Amino acid sequence: MSLLVVGLSHRSAPVSVLERASLSADTKTKLLHDTLAAEPATEATVLATCNRIELYADVDKFHAGVAELSTLLAQHSGVALEELTPYLYVHYEDRAVHHLFSVACGLDSMVVGEGQILGQIKDALALGQELHSAGRLINDLFQQALRVGKRAHSETGIDRAGQSLVTFGLEQLAAGTPVAEWARGRRALVIGAGSMSSLAAATLARVGVAEIVVANRTAERAERLAEILVASGTGVRASALAMAAVPDELTRVDVVVSCTGATGLVLTADDVLAAVSWGAAGEPAPAEQGALGAAPQAHPAGPPAGPEAAMPDGDVLARLVAAAEAGGRIADAGAARTISASADAAADGCPVGPDGRSALTGVDANSLELHGTWADQGEAAAQRQPRRTARAQAHATDVRLALLDLAMPRDIDAAVHRIPGVRLVDIESLAEASADAPMAADVDAVRGIVAQEVAAFGAAQRAAHITPTVVALRAMAAEVVAMEVARLDGRLPDLDERQRAEVTQTVRRVVDKLLHAPTVRVKQLASEPGGAGYAEALRELFDLDPQTVASVSRADAADPKNDDDPGRAS
């Protein structure tokens, strides 16, 4: 086994690099084709999720393999190699197995113990099988990883050590309030209809939102997801929506969850600002607008038209967005980004006033730009002060629109965190929030399982490596027996069939007994670390033809009975 993995994840790279290095479905296919075409690799597959990109390959040369796989990742991700290299990690042989098993158990996830990674590992295996880039090693490795992940979840309480990314994200949006209490009666918009978006929609229905609207580029998938939600028995109302109608729908919803495969932004700062500004301009008063700290209210049919809509100047907004990107983002209690004017805003010099949300309407461009500067100063000052608890912030913040962005690259403009009344939780903020999360005692038990499974997998692979040599040895012994029996027939032609059969069986028993102890022992030795040399020693001692051994290996790999059913493993 010469398993090599080269990759980057949320643990090694900043979100900005992960976003740029994300791989589309077509790019993953091209990456695998090019990996197989490269000299060091004989089989490969790619595991690409929201927060990791990893290329797995069976290579015959370590250094050449690392160089080739790193170069291919850079070429297909669109990030220059010199920029990508500092964030790459490399694992080889048993360490590579340990890494994948840890990933499968959720130990390497942003939220420890989340189970969604198992589906992503299954997808990576299916892609390798579909493209015929996954051979015996990759198939065995990923199927075993699925089994190890399922074992960890069934035998331990790892699920209690962390939650799914969706549930954890909703908890961050709720900011200390029980999610079921926070979500009750809300109206939610889910953008996307893939696996993560479907999970988000199901989670929202389970925690008690009143209505879910699904928007997707393919209308049929959105409609299908809405039908499933209605039939789920949760009592949630669900409907589908065209993507073009999303900006208008923002004015009617309280919660947005987005996870699409788009390469650009799905929700811009303009979209979000327009939605909350319209909400602030309408009646009733802001305190009755159904903010996420109060009871939900029915929303009018659409945004007002004409002068009363008074939106801020677009150039000013562009400058605010640019300032956000240049100045970076400051975490709110290690989780969501929320900018909200405090009661002391006017005294501190904020031109918008204490009710920043309602005051957006009609504000002149200069005041809005000054408010952006004031908000930045407030964030910097807050960072220097002791952090308030998430619960305290939830009570202090009037959130008009809660946004959960689970996409990589991001679907929602990071600059929306500057808009008063908007709360944004994204992949980056989830990483910050979970970094200091307490590790449950069950994590140690899962680590023990991983260690056991890595040792067992390595032993099985090393034992399998010597099997073709043992088979070739026994085949050679059978040929020797056949030749000697033929010579005996020439010397003793008067033997009857019964006598000939008895002699033949006796010779075979002698050969089998002579080979039994050495072959069993050599398998045991080969299964131990450093045992790879026993196969070569066996070939040398018995002068076995390398081509014969290779042909046995090919036949063994081609036998479908030797392949586990991947569906059964997952």
Side-chain angles (χ1 to χ4, degrees), residues 65-201:
V66 171
E68 191 65 40
L69 266 58
S70 301
T71 300
L72 288 170
L73 276 177
Q75 289 176 352
H76 292 279
S77 69
V79 180
L81 181 60
E82 58 270 18
E83 184 179 357
L84 193 64
T85 298
Y87 306 114
L88 293 177
Y89 47 77
V90 174
H91 299 297
Y92 190 55
E93 295 189 332
D94 283 354
R95 290 185 61 85
V97 176
H98 189 282
H99 175 73
L100 181 59
F101 287 3
S102 297
V103 169
C105 293
L107 292 179
D108 197 60
S109 294
M110 188 173 291
V111 180
V112 174
E114 61 94 9
Q116 297 164 25
I117 188 64
L118 286 175
Q120 294 159 336
I121 290 174
K122 183 179 180 181
D123 290 342
L125 174 59
L127 178 63
Q129 292 173 334
E130 178 186 349
L131 299 177
H132 304 290
S133 66
R136 169 52 60 85
L137 176 59
I138 296 295
N139 272 284
D140 286 353
L141 174 68
F142 275 70
Q143 287 168 5
Q144 187 62 23
L146 291 169
R147 286 189 280 267
V148 173
K150 293 180 71 173
R151 178 188 169 192
H153 284 281
S154 64
E155 295 184 11
T156 74
I158 188 65
D159 292 333
R160 296 191 299 269
Q163 303 132 315
S164 74
L165 211 55
V166 174
T167 305
F168 190 60
L170 293 178
E171 287 193 349
Q172 298 306 305
L173 284 181
T177 303
V179 173
E181 177 184 332
W182 170 84
R184 188 179 303 117
R186 306 299 174 191
R187 178 170 177 153
L189 169 63
V190 175
I191 304 177
S195 58
M196 183 68 80
S197 296
S198 299
L199 178 61

Side-chain angles (χ1 to χ4, degrees), residues 313-326 365-366 368-369 418:
D313 185 278
D315 291 337
V316 174
L317 179 63
R319 292 200 296 275
L320 288 173
V321 172
E325 294 174 346
N366 290 333
L368 183 61
E369 190 167 20
R418 294 175 176 272

Side-chain angles (χ1 to χ4, degrees), residues 471-481 483 542-545 548:
V471 171
L473 174 61
R474 290 190 172 276
M476 184 192 73
E479 290 179 3
V480 171
V481 170
M483 288 190 316
F542 289 91
D543 195 22
L544 299 177
D545 183 3
T548 302

Side-chain angles (χ1 to χ4, degrees), residues 247-258:
D248 286 342
E249 189 64 23
L250 288 178
T251 66
R252 305 181 181 93
V253 299
D254 308 297
V255 186
V256 178
V257 180
S258 186

Side-chain angles (χ1 to χ4, degrees), residues 514-533:
L514 287 174
L515 291 181
H516 176 72
T519 53
V520 169
R521 183 58 180 151
V522 79
K523 285 183 178 181
Q524 293 173 342
L525 293 171
S527 68
E528 297 174 359

